Amino acid sequence: MTNIGLIGAGMIANIHAETAKRIGTTVAAVHDPRNEKAESFGSLHGCDVCDSVELLLERDDIDGVVIAVPNDLHAEIAIAALNAGKHVLLEKPMAMSIAQCDAILEARNSSGKVLQMGFVCRYSPAALKAKQIIERGEIGDVLHVQATLLRQRGIPGLGGWFTTKSRSGGGCLIDIGVHLIDLGMHITSKKSPARVHGKCLQAFTAETYSYEEMWSTPVEGGTFDVEDRVRSLVTDTSGTTFQLEVSWATHLPENSMNDGLLIEGTKGSLVVDLWSDKLQKGFADNGVPKTETVQIAVRDAWEDAFDGEHQAFADAIASGELVDGAGTGEDGRLVQTVIEAIYASDKQQVEITLQ
Ligand SMILES: NC(=O)c1ccc[n+]([C@@H]2O[C@H](COP(=O)([O-])OP(=O)(O)OC[C@H]3O[C@@H](n4cnc5c(N)ncnc54)[C@H](O)[C@@H]3O)[C@@H](O)[C@H]2O)c1
């Protein structure tokens, strides 16, 4: 039986707790400095409430922790958890800077514990199937990846920590772009970004951001000093290009593009809608272009993805080894490198060379 603790009792921590229960992992305890939130989380998920991170990390019955706190606390808490001998599932982004990523990696290395990055999109059923197809060589060498995640109205808690650069590190790029940057490199096994071009902008203000329905309530009078729209082109050392289109808010028609990847190879292509139960595959039959629909076994793609992430973490806790395909700390650092290069390219209005 795997026992975990949750650090943070916010939006995503609730999803982690539900997922843990679904796959048979026990959530033993939670900590959140907002007492009321921690208490209601404790009663909802049937776990103890600890008054501090330290008290949670001292517990012998906890094998691993999920860290689901604002981005500026990732490094400090991940390092404390690893030093306390706990395996760690760390929400994305890994940290606020490369230096913080390196400090986390050092703590992982000296503790000998598992550090798994919360790159949950890797476990979307469509992403898993696409990776298999690419690894079987069915679309040949990958030439280009177009990665898209465009929300019409989806700024998380405008005015709160997500939209405050000093707490989040950035806007939609560091919030949702991270998933696509990781996924593109993971699915294609191309992890050598060489040149990075980026364009970031804030298209909305607290005054122009209106909506009929939203899943996250703005914080009255808060800070909004981060981007809500990003475009980027990354070229890797093999010449493969990765195009990124991400938004928290746009005037595009609703659902005009599905979340996912369009992958073009020398022999074929894949359209990967992350939350679908099918993939579209393009290929040539004696030179004649064909389209095939590949059906995938899906229960609920979103829940399946979280189940996959948590099963990998439970298996890692049981074996003491990170499971193949799970996000490593090095993957988290690599994504941070690309993110920093995109921000630098935007600021300096030049292409950034990484290698
Ligand atoms: N994998 C995903 O798809 C996904 C989705 C959403 C958020 N996230 C990531 O998860 C993290 C949390 O996001 P969220 O949406 O749940 O935010 P949230 O604001 O809903 O929750 C964060 C919680 O952390 C608590 N907190 C603050 N300081 C703390 C501390 N020292 N110890 C313990 N708890 C503390 C806050 O009180 C709050 O309840 C972020 O890093 C975010 O990027 C990942």
Side-chain angles (χ1 to χ4, degrees), residues 7-13 16 31-34 37 53 67-71 73-74 77 91-93 118 120 161-162 167 174-175 179 302 306 309:
I7 305 185
M11 192 281 286
I12 204 69
H16 282 297
H31 166 68
D32 195 298
R34 295 197 222 173
K37 224 170 165 181
V53 172
I67 300 178
V69 296
N71 302 347
L73 298 170
H74 284 196
I77 295 179
E91 262 305 348
K92 51 81 251 172
V120 68
W161 73 263
F162 271 104
R167 300 224 57 203
I174 207 152
D175 179 30
H179 282 305
W302 174 257
F306 275 93
E309 179 179 69

Side-chain angles (χ1 to χ4, degrees), residues 65-114:
V65 293
V66 178
I67 300 178
V69 296
N71 302 347
D72 61 330
L73 298 170
H74 284 196
E76 175 191 327
I77 295 179
I79 291 167
L82 289 162
N83 288 343
K86 304 301 181 198
H87 300 292
V88 168
L89 172 55
L90 176 58
E91 262 305 348
K92 51 81 251 172
M94 185 167 177
M96 299 280 281
S97 66
I98 302 287
Q100 286 189 353
C101 293
D102 286 339
I104 298 172
L105 288 171
E106 217 178 293
R108 180 204 60 186
N109 294 344
S110 59
S111 69
K113 296 295 163 186
V114 168

Side-chain angles (χ1 to χ4, degrees), residues 165-309:
K165 194 171 171 58
S166 60
R167 300 224 57 203
S168 59
C172 63
L173 176 61
I174 207 152
D175 179 30
I176 49 183
V178 285
H179 282 305
L180 294 183
I181 294 169
D182 174 67
L183 192 60
M185 293 193 288
H186 171 68
I187 273 195
T188 59
S189 303
K190 286 179 180 267
K191 297 190 177 183
S192 309
R195 298 193 310 279
V196 179
H197 178 270
K199 180 86 194 96
C200 309
L201 64 102
Q202 188 184 333
F204 288 78
T205 64
E207 288 70 39
T208 60
Y209 186 69
S210 343
Y211 50 88
E212 284 170 353
E213 273 180 51
M214 252 292 288
W215 45 265
S216 181
T217 322
V219 178
E220 207 51 47
T223 306
F224 182 18
D225 62 357
V226 294
E227 80 287 348
D228 52 31
R229 186 79 165 94
V230 170
R231 295 189 173 85
S232 170
L233 186 71
V234 177
T235 308
D236 89 338
T237 50
S238 70
T240 298
T241 44
F242 296 81
Q243 182 185 335
L244 182 71
E245 285 276 349
V246 179
S247 75
W248 265 345
T250 62
H251 294 302
L252 291 169
E254 194 172 12
N255 303 323
S256 46
M257 304 276 285
N258 292 333
D259 299 349
L261 310 176
L262 190 154
I263 306 169
E264 289 178 75
T266 49
K267 292 199 315 200
S269 64
L270 290 172
V271 181
V272 187
D273 173 352
L274 286 179
W275 312 118
S276 169
D277 61 354
K278 48 184 103 52
L279 286 179
Q280 295 297 321
K281 184 177 160 200
F283 61 102
D285 184 2
N286 284 323
V288 180
K290 301 273 185 196
T291 304
E292 180 190 335
T293 300
V294 181
Q295 205 65 42
I296 313 158
V298 171
R299 186 180 56 81
D300 171 310
W302 174 257
E303 289 189 359
D304 290 351
F306 275 93
D307 288 0
E309 179 179 69

